[in-house]
Amino acid sequence: MAYWLIKSNPSCFSINDLQHLGTEMWDGVRNYRARNFMRDDMQVGDKAFFYHSSAKPSGVAGIVTISKAGYPDTTQFHPEHRHYDPKATEENPRWYMVDVSFDQTFSDILPLSELKFLPTLEDSLLLRKGCEQLTIIPLESKHWYAIIDIAKELNLIANEADSI
């Protein structure tokens, strides 16, 4: 199993939206590095932190599971869609997506300002300069468990999260 952090602006799609739907496509990603993660690396059963970006505060809002591995993002083919890409064809898609399923929401946002002080995360892409714009970030297991531990310490998740 691999670990990820996926970002979404909560005014567009939040952890609460996903909780209501249960499972949803993670579409509209238009960054080649993030696309490659979805296309080549994300697998069914992988876990991801759902991160609210462009929020006050920005931070981890909950946990999801990858429920369908990478497949062509259908929004790239529809001219009326805001994520349309005229260079993409069904024979040669440029963009990929995965499906994510809701696991749990945190009782409050675990803000990025808290994560910046975790020594374990110093080498993570989450805190690396130049990676702020990545909407999908791979995490090592040590990063995953450091975030889980601080969320427990701050009483944002229950101890049952050990099984996650």
Side-chain angles (χ1 to χ4, degrees), residues 62-74:
I63 298 173
V64 302
T65 298
I66 306 306
S67 53
K68 185 174 181 180
Y71 60 102
D73 182 337
T74 56

Side-chain angles (χ1 to χ4, degrees), residues 4-10 13 26-27 29 48-54 58-59 112 125-128 131-137:
W4 305 92
L5 183 138
I6 59 176
K7 295 180 183 179
S8 179
N9 182 328
F13 190 76
W26 200 262
D27 63 0
V29 174
F49 288 117
F50 192 115
Y51 184 96
H52 282 175
S53 62
S54 302
S58 292
L112 180 60
L125 286 179
L126 177 61
L127 302 182
R128 188 172 300 159
C131 293
E132 302 90 1
Q133 298 304 315
L134 277 179
T135 55
I136 296 176
I137 297 172

Side-chain angles (χ1 to χ4, degrees), residues 18 33 45 64 78-79 103 105 122:
L18 182 60
R33 192 168 182 193
V64 302
H78 303 291
D103 282 345
T105 189
E122 287 177 352

Side-chain angles (χ1 to χ4, degrees), residues 11-128:
S11 65
C12 296
F13 190 76
S14 72
I15 189 75
N16 295 329
D17 295 326
L18 182 60
Q19 182 176 13
H20 176 71
L21 295 169
T23 298
E24 186 59 44
M25 300 174 294
W26 200 262
D27 63 0
V29 174
R30 297 299 184 263
N31 172 286
Y32 286 107
R33 192 168 182 193
R35 184 260 337 246
N36 293 348
F37 290 142
M38 287 192 296
R39 184 189 65 196
D40 303 334
D41 301 319
M42 292 178 113
Q43 298 298 317
V44 172
D46 287 357
K47 295 290 184 182
F49 288 117
F50 192 115
Y51 184 96
H52 282 175
S53 62
S54 302
K56 295 203 187 301
S58 292
V60 178
I63 298 173
V64 302
T65 298
I66 306 306
S67 53
K68 185 174 181 180
Y71 60 102
D73 182 337
T74 56
T75 64
Q76 68 190 309
F77 306 124
H78 303 291
E80 70 284 354
H81 199 281
R82 69 185 180 106
H83 292 122
Y84 173 65
D85 185 335
K87 294 181 180 176
T89 65
E90 294 199 25
E91 299 76 33
N92 190 21
R94 294 179 68 177
W95 306 108
Y96 283 73
M97 61 184 173
V98 296
D99 288 359
V100 296
S101 296
F102 175 83
D103 282 345
Q104 69 173 283
T105 189
F106 288 6
S107 61
D108 200 0
I109 297 294
L110 174 53
L112 180 60
S113 59
E114 287 282 337
L115 300 176
K116 288 181 177 181
F117 292 106
L118 292 177
T120 308
L121 296 181
E122 287 177 352
D123 64 342
S124 73
L125 286 179
L126 177 61
L127 302 182
R128 188 172 300 159

